[in-house]
Amino acid sequence: MAEASEVPQALVAARGVGLTLAEPVLENVDLSVEAGEIVTVVGPNGAGKTSLVRLLVGLASPDSGSVERRPGLTIGYMPQHFAVDPVLPLTVRRFLSLGLSYPPGARQAIMDEVGVPHLIERQLDELSGGELRRVLLARALLRQPDLLVLDEPVQGVDVTGQSEIYDLIGNLRQSRDLGVLMVSHDLHLVMAATDRVVCLNRHVCCMGHPEAVQRHPEYLALFGSPAESLAVYAHHHDHSHDSHGDVVEAGQGRAHGAGSGHSNG
């Protein structure tokens, strides 16, 4: 993995990256993420999104080009898939301590920050989709990262829960001055939650502000027009949701975990 001798402001940058497995997966890809910026990679299945993430975080090496990282960069990574074996008892508390070292009180503070302090003694296999994603986000944050890399951060979460998680990611970016790299195919929400979009289909089809990308011919060829069900979705409401996605009216003070418990979010 190449390290740049002249590293720009970018926390991480791919320069002309190519990768071939059984066939070409990535071809001449350029991408960078700066501090305080949310960059989202979108593309169809098989576009090379997860492969690109693996190169950027150092889990794989490119066949051509280079990946440059700021010296001393710390990365917090949330994977797309996380299987929980119900045969192996594992509480959230224990999961957040595996292989990590952090100051006293840090775990509780971050659980508060992601909105699930009440889950600390729960078994992982008992969590809803939205609760699990927040716990995975908490684990990534315990590394005190400069760059947060989120591969499909709302995997298994319903639409209401997705909006809440994207709001949380935006708040974390602002409060921590994080660089955030997200990978997603759920365009209707993620496009409203990002500063810059990279449309990938093995190569970079187009990149820029979400509104500009949605008008680009190559984006339209892959996904159609925004009016065709992929429009930017802005979630405006005068209420909030608990970790299950249930509505909590202002002043109602719903207890954690109340509600039907059937939502994934």
Side-chain angles (χ1 to χ4, degrees), residues 155-230:
Q155 180 82 22
V157 182
D158 65 18
V159 172
T160 298
Q162 290 176 24
S163 178
E164 293 286 318
I165 288 176
Y166 284 133
D167 286 346
L168 172 60
I169 292 168
N171 291 337
L172 290 169
R173 175 269 297 269
Q174 187 170 19
S175 64
R176 291 171 169 260
D177 195 31
L178 287 169
V180 180
L181 175 65
M182 291 194 290
V183 173
S184 182
H185 65 272
D186 296 319
L187 307 180
H188 62 299
L189 283 176
V190 75
M191 295 287 273
T194 190
D195 302 315
R196 186 158 50 94
V197 176
V198 177
C199 182
L200 186 72
N201 193 16
R202 299 190 180 181
H203 67 283
V204 175
C205 301
C206 53
M207 72 169 66
H209 188 274
E211 291 182 3
V213 167
Q214 287 185 108
R215 295 192 298 266
H216 194 282
E218 290 200 57
Y219 177 91
L220 294 173
L222 286 173
F223 300 113
S225 70
E228 295 171 2
S229 80
L230 294 176

Side-chain angles (χ1 to χ4, degrees), residues 29-54:
V29 172
D30 291 338
L31 181 148
S32 64
V33 184
E34 297 182 5
E37 178 183 35
I38 299 179
V39 176
T40 300
V41 179
V42 301
N45 290 335
K49 301 186 298 295
T50 295
S51 293
L52 178 59
V53 167
R54 288 176 57 82

Side-chain angles (χ1 to χ4, degrees), residues 15 52 81 89 104 120 147 188 237 240 265:
R15 309 291 187 193
L52 178 59
H81 300 292
I120 193 68
L147 173 66
H188 62 299
H237 51 60
S240 60

Side-chain angles (χ1 to χ4, degrees), residues 3-262:
E3 297 286 342
S5 57
E6 296 182 7
V7 180
Q9 292 183 342
L11 299 172
V12 65
R15 309 291 187 193
V17 159
L19 180 67
T20 299
L21 300 177
E23 59 184 19
V25 176
L26 297 168
E27 300 174 347
N28 196 31
V29 172
D30 291 338
L31 181 148
S32 64
V33 184
E34 297 182 5
E37 178 183 35
I38 299 179
V39 176
T40 300
V41 179
V42 301
N45 290 335
K49 301 186 298 295
T50 295
S51 293
L52 178 59
V53 167
R54 288 176 57 82
L55 296 179
L56 291 171
V57 302
L59 296 177
S61 299
D63 296 324
S64 60
S66 65
V67 174
E68 306 165 0
R69 299 188 192 87
R70 194 182 70 181
L73 180 72
T74 300
I75 298 174
Y77 176 51
M78 185 202 298
Q80 176 180 358
H81 300 292
F82 183 81
V84 180
D85 188 346
V87 177
L88 179 64
L90 186 63
T91 65
V92 171
R93 180 187 297 275
R94 177 61 177 157
F95 172 68
L96 293 180
S97 66
L98 292 174
L100 294 177
S101 177
Y102 41 80
R107 178 178 58 204
Q108 184 63 49
I110 286 175
M111 289 289 283
D112 290 342
E113 193 173 12
V114 302
V116 287
H118 58 294
L119 299 179
I120 193 68
E121 301 299 344
R122 290 274 299 276
Q123 296 289 325
L124 279 186
D125 67 312
E126 296 175 354
L127 303 183
S128 71
E131 289 170 340
L132 180 60
R133 300 315 288 181
R134 288 174 185 254
V135 168
L136 291 172
L137 180 58
R139 182 173 171 87
L141 290 171
L142 280 168
R143 293 179 54 81
Q144 296 297 320
D146 309 298
L147 173 66
L148 197 56
V149 179
L150 311 174
D151 192 354
E152 300 284 3
V154 294
Q155 180 82 22
V157 182
D158 65 18
V159 172
T160 298
Q162 290 176 24
S163 178
E164 293 286 318
I165 288 176
Y166 284 133
D167 286 346
L168 172 60
I169 292 168
N171 291 337
L172 290 169
R173 175 269 297 269
Q174 187 170 19
S175 64
R176 291 171 169 260
D177 195 31
L178 287 169
V180 180
L181 175 65
M182 291 194 290
V183 173
S184 182
H185 65 272
D186 296 319
L187 307 180
H188 62 299
L189 283 176
V190 75
M191 295 287 273
T194 190
D195 302 315
R196 186 158 50 94
V197 176
V198 177
C199 182
L200 186 72
N201 193 16
R202 299 190 180 181
H203 67 283
V204 175
C205 301
C206 53
M207 72 169 66
H209 188 274
E211 291 182 3
V213 167
Q214 287 185 108
R215 295 192 298 266
H216 194 282
E218 290 200 57
Y219 177 91
L220 294 173
L222 286 173
F223 300 113
S225 70
E228 295 171 2
S229 80
L230 294 176
V232 169
Y233 173 84
H235 189 66
H236 299 295
H237 51 60
D238 57 1
H239 58 270
S240 60
H241 304 273
D242 63 19
S243 60
H244 293 283
D246 296 321
V247 172
V248 181
E249 301 294 347
Q252 182 175 340
R254 179 189 293 270
H256 288 300
S260 65
H262 294 298

